[in-house]
Amino acid sequence: MAAIHPVVMPVWGVIMTEGTVVKWLVAEGDDITPELEIVEIETTKVTGGLEAGVSGKLRRIVADNGSTLPTGALIAVISDPEVPEAEIESFVAGAKTEVPTAPVAPPQPATIRVGDIEINALRLGEDLPGTPLLLLHGFGGDLNTWLFNHGELASDRQVVAVDLPGHGGSSLAFGSGDLASLAGIVAGTLDALGISRVHVAGHSLGGGVALKLAELRSDRLASLTLIAPVGLGAEIGGNYIPDFIAADRTRAIKDVLGRLFADSAAVSRDMVEGVQRFKRLDGAGDALRTIADAVFPDGRQKEDLRRSLGQVPAMVIRGEADRLVSASHVTGLPASVEVITIADAGHMPQMEQPGPVNQAIRRQMAKADA
Amino acid sequence: MSELQLSQAQLLEAYRLMKTIRVFEERAMTEKMGGNVPGGTHLYAGEEASAVGVCMHLGPADQISSTHRGHGHSIAKGCDVDGMMAEIMGKGTGICGGKGGSQHIADLSKGMLGANGIVGAGSPIVCGAALSAQILGKQDVAVAFIGDGAFNQGTTAESLNLASIWKLPAIFVVEDNGFGEATSSAFVQAGEIVERAASFKIPAMKVDGVDFFAVYQAAGEAVSRARAGGGPSVIHTVVPRYFGHYAGDPDNYRTAEEKAAMRKDRDCLKRFRARVDETSLLDAAALDQIDADVEAAIASAADKGRAAPPPALESLTTDVYIRYV
Amino acid sequence: MPQKTFRQAINEALHQEMKRDDRVIVMGEDVAGGSGASGDKDAWGGAFGCTKGLLGAFGPARVRDTPITESAFIGAAGGAALTGLRPVAEIMYVDFVGVCLDQIMNQIAKFRYMFGGTASTPVVIRASYGAGRGGGSQHSQSLYPIFTHIPGLKVVVPSSPYDAKGLLAQAIRDDDPVVFLESKMLYNTTGEVPDGAYTIPFGEANIVREGGDVLLVAIGRMVGVAEEAAKTLETEGISCCVLDPRTPSPLDEDTILEKTEEIGRVVIVDESYPRCGLAADISSLIAERAFPSLKAPIRKVTPPHSPVPYAPVLERAFVPTPDRVVEAVRAVAKG
């Protein structure tokens, strides 16, 4: 039987409730293959291409460029070529009359107290068995870095994403800001959550914190997945840290965030605004400077943490087009450390290519669990 | 008031200030007539004892606001005469960089919140300065020098009301020279100044403004009351205005006889000299020396002012904001 | 992220800034909720409820009900700012500026310049503005062009609760005098507002909505009107960018010109009078500096050159509506 395939507004990550059609990349009547990117969708955090997932012909574009729709809403119809026009017509009409289901309220983060410090943490899959996974974001980011990973990875285990001290919704005042102090606060957060043993995936600065955690508390770590991590080399490309701290106007922030991505056009207005809103908070600038001074004095990485790699089963992921962490950082690592290079990704592979990154994290955890 | 309450040094200082104002104004007139003052200027000659009698009680942390006739208050509050003269001449070395002119001379470091081109505008500003002192827990006072014209302005009525209900350490010195520009105050003013003040429950005194000692005593009471938390006062000083409303005013609305009599009989400097002479408090030679020193200082200020460069053109658009974009 | 009303956002900024800096005081008519009356203290929080709770938190020395004498208390705010305080003075309706304009225009705005750069006057003058509540001709005007005209003043007209809080905090911390105008129609609108204190810099436009066919420039309450129009137009296949300058002074000329060059069609939506108004000002900026990129004449959607009327049917006809914006956009989008 000839099939009709609805194309709907995708759900990328746990907090996405709607998306905007930026641009259709195909036209009605075009032949479609599963890997073909057919439309550019903008979410609150990032703009990305949606792959068709199926073969067929694009029969209808239902949502025009610029329209914003809830996740799950019909945006186009693909079908086998032989499906009659009338059937497509009635399918679209039927979909239009359906009341879109109210978006489910996104899960809310909780505030975890570690001494005087408040840590903003979002837990998914709390009741699931297995060793939990902890997600640590990079410098200037927050737990939304894991938008496309968090929900996906929480299908079979608890996954906790935290805002590091001085970031997101966590306290802007915290000790010295060096990796050891950040790792100590993260360990305290795990204590407060009653988690004794954990897999850790850390991105950039979060990777450095993860490595420090491995150095200080290897007994608590089941595995490490380090994505474009801090700690494996000295230089940081393109003066990123000082430029990120200095950027205040929209244009400057957009420019500096663009360096994180293989395709700088992936930076959405909302992503810029999110960073800008954070940076406007009283104390945010001081918090970032405190960490930068401790971890990246003079714009270079202070600590070499390669030695910590042997402590815990570890995997390193790097985007092929990463402009901040060069390829030399992931060469010459111990043989036990699997190195994965992700194509079409810059410094943010977990956002730019979430599929392969999620797969890698799963594989690393499964190996360690076994 | 006994002049014995003042030390010899204070008496000499009071005389020096009054003389400085007189000579400065005469010189300003000369320079205006000589074409060295590009804009309008209003001269304070004749009214010196009012400014000095009040300001002798004030320190740099006390604030004053002044009027379009502001040179006297500025000098009495310690503004630099070289800078003032250059300002009037529109020079870059002026006290405001040549951007303010005669009507906007100010020196915040001396507690001089500005001469003012708008009649009556200083009264609310002084309420604000007094409010600062009150809220910040300081003993400082703020003095609004205003004229008989300003006393008819709504701003002054509003300010008297505000100062009274908030018990502000504010003093309103109403310098009544008998004229609002060319119009006699008798023609435009209803009632008595002190009675108006009384209706706001503000203590008020009327004094002869050519009598330095009378002004000094009245101001002393008002300043002490304000510093002690007793609220505002009004001092009505009756003063002569030697020149017209502005330098160059033909001043033909007053008779020559009236003006001559005024200069002869209503001169605070002569009055001061006579008083200290009677009581043998000061040596005439010391006062003569001050006269000579002041003449030389003002002549030098005028020479420097004339020789000074105009403001740099780049300053046209600076100082509009502390930081705009 | 917590949702708060525009009113709460203003109130929160005042609370946080008064807590942050002892020199910040609040003064104006009824700001302490009606002093000296028989009922509860601070029962009211001022005409629009924005200052509620300040009296209890900071006491009567720093939160002052004033007589209805704008010249005296606005002038006093200026004088206090010259001498060490950072007053936030409220004019209940911006229309009342008529009785105290001298203190704003000739005194506060000019101290620094006249005094050769030696003065700083960190005062904020808050006032409600705008039509829509049946206030009539003397309680409904959008007078920000008057202040924008005066060098020495900064002028802020926020359009959302988030912007209101961040821009007010910036206004209070700013060392220059700031006139901060709040649309009375926005007080009950809600939006995401962080609990912590933050500031939004002046002179940076906000791109409220991206779009490629027509640029809508709007400020204050008109931002919502422009957004509504943009939603309607989207269904017709016309995509509008909505640009909110946030601060008429300083004006983010760069972003306005950049977006004009990118899009080529401009409609300016403004609630101030058309003659020498904000729309005229922005229109002249574009005509002078981005003319070659224009694909259609600039259109302005403003009230008529008339006072604000009282009768609801007239008042509704006075204020620009989404329908009028849609019509103007359709006209420029052709061809």
Side-chain angles (χ1 to χ4, degrees), chain B residues 43-66:
Chain B
L43 304 177
Y44 191 73
E47 309 186 19
E48 297 86 352
S50 180
V52 175
V54 173
C55 290
M56 286 292 290
H57 291 283
L58 306 180
D62 297 310
Q63 308 287 335
I64 68 165
S65 74
S66 174

Side-chain angles (χ1 to χ4, degrees), chain A residues 66 250 269 276-277 280 282, chain C residues 162 173 197 199 204 207 234:
Chain A
T250 311
R269 183 170 62 86
Q276 197 166 28
R277 285 189 176 205
R280 283 175 185 149
D282 283 6
Chain C
Y162 174 82
R173 296 181 199 182
T199 57
E204 181 167 8
I207 303 299
E234 184 176 74

Side-chain angles (χ1 to χ4, degrees), chain C residues 171-194:
Chain C
I172 294 169
R173 296 181 199 182
D174 207 283
D175 288 326
D176 289 309
V178 179
V179 178
F180 191 93
L181 299 182
E182 303 154 17
S183 165
K184 53 180 84 72
M185 300 302 285
L186 292 179
Y187 282 126
N188 291 328
T189 58
T190 56
E192 282 186 356
V193 179

Side-chain angles (χ1 to χ4, degrees), chain A residues 118 168-173 276-284, chain C residues 1-4 8-20 161-170 173 191-200:
Chain A
E118 291 184 350
S170 293
S171 294
L172 297 178
Q276 197 166 28
R277 285 189 176 205
F278 170 72
K279 292 192 74 184
R280 283 175 185 149
L281 287 168
D282 283 6
Chain C
M1 184 73 72
Q3 292 277 327
K4 290 165 196 163
Q8 284 172 310
I10 296 284
N11 185 268
E12 204 166 270
L14 290 170
H15 266 281
Q16 287 175 348
E17 296 309 308
M18 289 191 81
K19 194 165 174 208
R20 181 176 175 272
Y162 174 82
D163 279 8
K165 181 175 168 185
L167 289 168
L168 182 54
Q170 174 59 38
R173 296 181 199 182
E192 282 186 356
V193 179
D195 291 332
Y198 60 94
T199 57
I200 299 175

Side-chain angles (χ1 to χ4, degrees), chain A residues 51-360:
Chain A
E51 292 177 8
V54 297
S55 299
K57 210 174 244 314
L58 185 71
R59 300 297 295 270
R60 276 290 181 292
I61 289 176
V62 179
D64 290 329
N65 292 348
S67 44
T68 300
L69 293 165
T71 53
L74 184 71
I75 60 171
V77 179
I78 297 171
S79 81
D80 295 343
E82 61 271 25
V83 175
E85 193 59 21
E87 222 173 288
I88 299 291
E89 207 55 62
S90 83
F91 182 87
V92 171
K96 268 192 178 160
T97 53
E98 274 170 35
V99 181
T101 48
V104 183
Q108 294 301 314
T111 301
I112 311 298
R113 292 203 67 91
V114 182
D116 293 340
I117 296 164
E118 291 184 350
I119 293 296
N120 193 47
L122 180 62
R123 309 171 74 176
L124 298 179
E126 267 178 76
D127 304 329
L128 295 172
T131 308
L133 167 66
L134 173 68
L135 300 173
L136 301 175
H137 62 80
F139 182 76
D142 60 26
L143 55 79
N144 292 313
T145 293
W146 307 105
L147 189 66
F148 307 127
N149 321 99
H150 197 169
E152 174 75 21
L153 295 168
S155 61
D156 60 354
R157 71 179 75 230
Q158 178 180 183
V159 181
V160 183
V162 298
D163 287 337
L164 289 170
H167 290 77
S170 293
S171 294
L172 297 178
F174 48 88
S176 67
D178 63 15
L179 290 173
S181 112
L182 297 177
I185 295 165
V186 169
T189 308
L190 293 174
D191 292 341
L193 290 169
I195 295 172
S196 54
R197 199 169 154 75
V198 72
H199 296 283
V200 181
H203 171 243
S204 199
L205 172 68
V209 175
L211 275 169
K212 199 60 168 180
L213 211 51
E215 179 187 305
L216 301 173
R217 299 298 306 271
S218 62
D219 56 311
R220 297 189 67 161
L221 299 196
S223 78
L224 281 179
T225 307
L226 305 168
I227 305 168
V230 156
L232 305 181
E235 78 281 5
I236 302 163
N239 206 37
Y240 181 80
I241 300 289
D243 286 356
F244 179 85
I245 290 173
D248 57 351
R249 302 276 159 150
T250 311
R251 210 168 294 122
I253 291 176
K254 192 167 181 171
D255 166 72
V256 76
L257 292 180
R259 300 181 209 167
L260 297 175
F261 294 85
D263 174 9
S264 51
V267 178
S268 71
R269 183 170 62 86
D270 287 324
M271 190 179 199
V272 173
E273 191 165 322
V275 169
Q276 197 166 28
R277 285 189 176 205
F278 170 72
K279 292 192 74 184
R280 283 175 185 149
L281 287 168
D282 283 6
D286 289 342
L288 291 174
R289 275 186 291 276
T290 300
I291 293 173
D293 290 348
V295 182
F296 314 114
D298 311 316
R300 290 170 69 80
Q301 300 188 30
K302 187 175 176 188
E303 288 191 73
D304 180 354
L305 295 170
R306 283 184 171 234
R307 64 185 184 284
S308 309
L309 269 177
Q311 314 271 332
V312 177
M315 166 192 276
V316 177
I317 297 174
R318 178 178 172 275
E320 203 173 13
D322 190 332
R323 287 178 262 178
L324 272 64
V325 171
S326 73
S328 67
H329 290 212
V330 300
T331 52
L333 303 178
S336 64
V337 178
E338 185 182 355
V339 176
I340 296 181
T341 302
I342 307 271
D344 296 324
H347 191 64
M348 307 291 283
Q350 74 279 18
M351 291 187 109
E352 299 172 272
Q353 300 296 338
V357 171
N358 289 342
Q359 240 173 39

